[in-house]
Amino acid sequence: MLNNNNNFSSNKHNSIKNDKKICIGANIKRIRKEKKIKGVELIRLVNLQGVELNTFSLSKIEAGTQHITASQFRAIALSLECTYEDLLQEK
């Protein structure tokens, strides 16, 4: 829902959902492993940015069973030092 300032307004977190062509979680896992970053390290880097992420959530995001919030998406891209396009790469 947009408010008068054309900003998203909701009590729920805005989330980004996978589709049939783009699996964000699989891309996160691939990039993380390519850069030899352990899950706990990625979580630490994301948390340092003030964004909530835990082991259980990261595991579910990478497996494609949990949606990722926009804040998590941005923080993960920054932590992995990759572009949004890298995370949105098609299968």
Side-chain angles (χ1 to χ4, degrees), residues 6 9 17 42 58 65 72 81 84:
N6 292 329
S9 173
K17 301 176 183 178
L42 178 58
L58 178 60
T65 59
Q72 289 170 332
E81 298 179 347
Y84 297 152

Side-chain angles (χ1 to χ4, degrees), residues 49 73-82 84:
Q49 295 176 57
F73 183 83
R74 181 180 60 209
I76 288 171
L78 290 170
S79 298
L80 292 176
E81 298 179 347
C82 66
Y84 297 152

Side-chain angles (χ1 to χ4, degrees), residues 9-22:
S9 173
S10 173
N11 290 337
K12 296 182 179 180
H13 295 283
N14 293 320
S15 63
I16 302 168
K17 301 176 183 178
N18 293 318
D19 62 27
K20 292 180 182 179
K21 291 185 178 182
I22 300 172

Side-chain angles (χ1 to χ4, degrees), residues 28-29 31-33 37-49 51 53 58 62 72 75-81:
I28 291 169
K29 187 173 186 175
I31 294 166
R32 180 175 64 76
K33 289 185 176 260
I37 298 173
K38 293 184 178 185
V40 292
E41 178 64 10
L42 178 58
I43 291 165
R44 186 185 72 78
L45 293 169
V46 169
N47 290 334
L48 284 172
Q49 295 176 57
V51 176
L53 185 65
L58 178 60
E62 288 185 343
Q72 289 170 332
I76 288 171
L78 290 170
S79 298
L80 292 176
E81 298 179 347

